[in-house]
Amino acid sequence: MPSIPQAHRSNPLIDAETTLVGAIAHGALRPAPKKFVSGEVVRLNTKLDAAARFTLVASHSNHTAAVTVDLQLAPLLKDGATGSFVSAVKVSLPAEGGRVEAYLSGHDINIATADLSRVQWPCICFAKALVTPSTPADLHVGLTATIPA
């Protein structure tokens, strides 16, 4: 079998978006559509403190007021419980709508002091997005993680 030239090999990074707030369609692994709401805890497939970089993406088309999205992250503790949520980044969107992206490094993630002795690194695998003052009908908040393969 011939080798694949370097220029035609796939990108060795994983970059997929996880929805934290908003609707997702049904598919092979989800038999029915689902709508994630503000503050709903999502377990991530990629542990963010192992990621080289991750991105919070928020967008909506129109609302009655400006919207703030607070991304909060928590570790998986050694006993299988969820640790304390800590704010990682906040973004604001104007009432007129738009799209905002916030880039973060996995090395910049903090965890609560009380959880430090109760984790095994990498451990950040829970996320939630808190939306204030209210959630626009078409708000979508997603999180991507890019890790070396």
Side-chain angles (χ1 to χ4, degrees), residues 77-146:
L77 303 179
K78 289 178 186 176
D79 64 4
T82 303
S84 302
F85 279 90
V86 175
S87 181
V89 66
K90 288 183 183 181
V91 296
S92 294
L93 293 122
E96 296 78 25
R99 177 183 167 111
V100 175
E101 295 183 9
Y103 301 100
L104 298 149
S105 168
H107 300 290
D108 295 332
I109 297 173
N110 294 313
I111 66 171
T113 306
D115 293 340
L116 284 174
S117 64
R118 302 171 56 202
V119 298
Q120 181 174 343
W121 301 94
C123 61
I124 303 296
C125 61
F126 295 103
K128 64 181 176 180
L130 299 177
V131 182
T132 54
S134 63
T135 305
D138 66 342
L139 178 69
H140 181 268
V141 178
L143 187 65
T144 68
T146 305

Side-chain angles (χ1 to χ4, degrees), residues 55-67:
T55 307
L56 175 70
V57 180
S59 64
H60 74 87
S61 62
N62 194 9
H63 195 49
T64 56
V67 177

Side-chain angles (χ1 to χ4, degrees), residues 5 16 21 23 26 36-38 40 54 72 84-85 106 108 112 119 125:
V21 176
H26 71 283
F36 291 90
V37 297
S38 174
E40 186 169 347
F54 63 97
Q72 297 189 357
S84 302
F85 279 90
D108 295 332
V119 298
C125 61

